[in-house]
Amino acid sequence: ALAYALMSHRRQRVDLAEAEAVAEEADGHPMFIDELVRHAALLDRPGRERLDLGEVLWSRISRLDTIQQRILELVALAGTPIDNESLARALGITFAELHRQVAVLRAASLVRAMGTRGTDRVEPYHDRVRHAVASKLDDARRRSVHQSLARAIEASEHPDAETLAVHYRLAGDTSQAASYATRAAETASRALAFEHAA
């Protein structure tokens, strides 16, 4: 109903099947329904061709400033919410600049930000945003982003060995990955989490 209403607002004739296709691609998410309808209207497409939400999101993301795109890359590949301190360090920017850029991305419904303290975290607004960004990165860029994440987390006050093992492995640094995996296993063993340690 929402897709049909939004599409009807933009043009005179709307096929119910078109509206259903938009709602299905958006997985019923109201924001993504609006995103798809706006994109189709911007292209002046009748809607008979199926829109891909990942491509629609990427068309908007690709028009962002370079620093905003880099934030989205780091947040998308972090795997879990990443703290502001590590994010600013990975980007080589000040907290003030990070907060300004994150505010833009939050207003665009591309990230969720849980606060402005160093320990507060940032994550993609939705898994579809994460996937839209990650799917556009080639292998070399992915390795570079994971390397940046690993180094930034490693420099934090209490780095998590398991997280570092994952990022160093995905960056292609197997020596560092093995070292941190061993530390993580030792920590898990001390906590009697033997299966996790293995």
Side-chain angles (χ1 to χ4, degrees):
L2 175 61
Y4 188 84
L6 291 173
M7 293 168 83
S8 298
H9 181 69
R10 295 182 180 276
R11 55 183 219 265
Q12 289 183 329
R13 298 179 63 186
V14 178
D15 187 322
L16 184 58
E18 294 175 38
E20 288 174 346
V22 166
E24 184 179 328
E25 177 61 22
D27 206 19
H29 195 295
M31 187 191 86
F32 294 147
I33 289 173
D34 184 57
E35 185 95 30
L36 289 166
V37 171
R38 284 174 186 271
H39 187 77
L42 189 66
L43 297 178
D44 197 24
R45 287 167 58 166
R48 295 189 193 286
E49 295 176 50
R50 188 172 183 88
L51 292 169
D52 179 271
L53 180 59
E55 291 299 323
V56 170
L57 287 169
W58 181 251
S59 76
R60 184 155 61 96
I61 291 166
S62 65
R63 294 191 301 270
L64 295 172
D65 290 346
T66 301
I67 190 70
Q68 293 162 2
Q69 289 183 31
R70 287 187 63 212
I71 290 170
L72 284 173
E73 289 175 357
L74 289 160
V75 168
L77 294 190
T80 58
I82 182 170
D83 63 90
N84 286 321
E85 182 184 344
S86 296
L87 191 53
R89 190 180 296 114
L91 292 160
I93 61 175
T94 64
F95 265 21
E97 177 64 9
L98 175 68
H99 298 321
R100 192 176 73 76
Q101 300 293 351
V102 166
V104 172
L105 294 173
R106 191 177 60 222
S109 297
L110 292 170
V111 300
R112 293 181 193 275
M114 296 142 199
T116 57
R117 293 173 301 179
T119 54
D120 290 331
R121 298 176 180 270
V122 181
E123 64 182 338
Y125 178 81
H126 191 277
D127 274 344
R128 299 290 291 267
V129 173
R130 182 192 310 276
H131 181 71
V133 174
S135 67
K136 292 297 180 180
L137 304 180
D138 62 26
D139 290 343
R141 185 64 190 151
R142 282 172 177 267
R143 286 192 298 273
S144 174
V145 172
H146 282 294
Q147 186 79 19
S148 295
L149 285 164
R151 288 180 176 161
I153 294 167
E154 192 173 42
S156 63
E157 192 174 346
H158 301 291
D160 179 67
E162 189 170 350
T163 300
L164 286 168
V166 169
H167 287 303
Y168 272 122
R169 179 177 60 79
L170 293 172
D173 190 337
T174 53
S175 175
Q176 284 284 65
S179 174
Y180 280 111
T182 302
R183 292 188 207 180
E186 289 167 351
T187 300
S189 290
R190 285 195 296 273
L192 306 180
F194 302 118
E195 287 185 24
H196 190 67

